[in-house]
Amino acid sequence: MEKRRDVFQAIADPTRRGIIDLLCRQSLNLNSIVDHFDSSRPTISEHIKILEECGLVFIVKQGRERICEARLKGLEDVAGWVEQARKYWSGTLDSMEIYLTNIQKNKKHATTKGAKRSNKGK
């Protein structure tokens, strides 16, 4: 059974993110993609293979050429995960802000009370 790669694994590599960025602008053949990177053709081919396996790149044969196209629907999983994490951390940070604000108010209140007590003794 063929191992299907994970989208998160695919976008973890900066070269693969660069390839996705490039293909978002236009479909390119492998040689044109290689021209944009300081990597060998076999290395870029392996990156393309990984992107294809996780559904982020689709390869269309046109004669002898293999044209690579971006298929960004696969990034919906990533966007969903990021949104979930954003909501969690927003809520957590909001709670922390409320907590710290309450601590500051209590500290000011205690300081004000202490100052009033010391003034009574005079």
Side-chain angles (χ1 to χ4, degrees):
M1 186 166 153
E2 183 180 314
K3 180 184 174 190
R4 183 139 171 102
R5 296 191 191 254
D6 185 87
V7 174
F8 292 92
Q9 178 186 9
I11 65 171
D13 185 276
T15 300
R16 289 193 287 270
R17 289 192 306 267
I19 291 169
I20 292 167
D21 187 48
L22 192 61
L23 294 177
C24 282
R25 293 188 215 121
Q26 68 184 63
S27 300
L28 296 169
N29 67 19
L30 187 59
N31 287 333
S32 298
I33 295 169
V34 171
D35 290 343
H36 287 86
F37 297 93
D38 292 330
S39 299
S40 67
R41 181 184 165 98
T43 300
I44 296 299
S45 288
E46 184 61 28
H47 285 303
I48 295 292
K49 179 182 172 188
I50 291 167
L51 291 169
E52 184 182 25
E53 286 174 1
C54 69
L56 293 176
V57 167
F58 182 73
I59 298 175
V60 178
K61 285 193 173 197
Q62 291 181 353
R64 292 179 2 167
E65 294 273 13
R66 291 177 53 208
I67 307 297
C68 301
E69 299 176 355
R71 293 284 195 255
L72 302 182
K73 186 164 174 37
L75 290 177
E76 289 176 357
D77 292 343
V78 175
W81 181 84
V82 168
E83 181 60 21
Q84 231 178 351
R86 187 196 64 75
K87 284 179 183 176
Y88 170 78
W89 284 109
S90 270
T92 301
L93 293 174
D94 288 347
S95 296
M96 185 183 295
E97 182 180 17
I98 291 166
Y99 175 74
L100 292 174
T101 301
N102 287 337
I103 288 175
Q104 285 179 324
K105 284 179 185 177
N106 291 339
K107 206 174 198 180
K108 284 180 184 178
H109 183 69
T111 305
T112 306
K113 264 187 168 177
K116 286 182 181 178
R117 282 188 196 145
S118 63
N119 285 339
K120 283 185 178 181
K122 288 184 180 182

